[in-house]
Amino acid sequence: MSENKIHFKLITHEKIVFEGDVDEIYTKGINGSFGILVDHTPFMSALAIGVTKIVNEGTPTYFATMGGVLQFTNNQAVILSEEAENGKDIDVTVAKAEKERLEARIGSPEAQKNIQAENKALAIALAKFKAAMNEAN
């Protein structure tokens, strides 16, 4: 690990999505968004569905993260997530279409039967769309 860097690892059940040294990490916990810089106090947080942003040498990279947990200690951060995708790998057009389809469906009587699952699907679609849009810009 480089001096004055955070060694960051983003892991799902299936693979290591990202591993490398970064300057900054920003993500969404269940109690709100937060950021981590070098030498941050050690802590753990449960994560909500959202976007995780890392910055290295001034260049941001965005990931759609589907919940999980973050642990930070001794300038090493690990996110264990159910699912995660690099925004660069997400098709913006497909993500936008899925987001719009779910937004239109959320108020339907069919969706109300299982509103919790519908809200989760919409949150995932929004995270993917935001990560893809940020990478495209």
Side-chain angles (χ1 to χ4, degrees):
M1 178 175 67
S2 301
E3 183 118 356
N4 295 319
K5 294 277 189 177
I6 299 167
H7 188 74
F8 175 64
K9 209 180 221 186
L10 175 55
I11 306 169
T12 68
H13 301 290
E14 299 171 354
K15 63 183 177 180
I16 296 173
V17 178
F18 178 88
E19 182 173 12
D21 292 340
V22 302
D23 299 314
E24 307 165 38
I25 303 168
Y26 302 93
T27 195
K28 184 177 180 184
I30 59 171
N31 294 318
S33 297
F34 60 90
I36 301 170
L37 300 175
V38 172
D39 296 329
H40 193 287
T41 303
F43 78 105
M44 285 184 80
S45 177
L47 299 179
I49 295 169
V51 175
T52 296
K53 173 184 168 183
I54 59 172
V55 180
N56 191 36
E57 308 281 326
T59 302
T61 303
Y62 300 87
F63 300 91
T65 47
M66 310 314 159
V69 64
L70 176 139
Q71 179 180 4
F72 181 83
T73 186
N74 297 324
N75 287 326
Q76 295 188 32
V78 177
I79 290 179
L80 302 171
S81 184
E82 295 174 31
E83 181 184 338
E85 287 184 68
N86 189 321
K88 293 176 186 171
D89 299 333
I90 301 170
D91 183 310
V92 176
T93 306
V94 172
K96 182 179 180 183
E98 180 66 3
K99 175 187 84 72
E100 290 172 350
R101 182 186 72 77
L102 289 165
E103 286 172 338
R105 178 180 160 81
I106 203 82
S108 73
E110 188 64 33
Q112 296 302 312
K113 292 178 185 176
N114 197 356
I115 194 66
Q116 195 170 21
E118 294 287 335
N119 283 332
K120 182 177 179 180
L122 180 57
I124 290 168
L126 284 167
K128 288 182 178 185
F129 177 66
K130 287 177 184 177
M133 283 298 296
N134 282 320
E135 282 296 339
N137 292 328

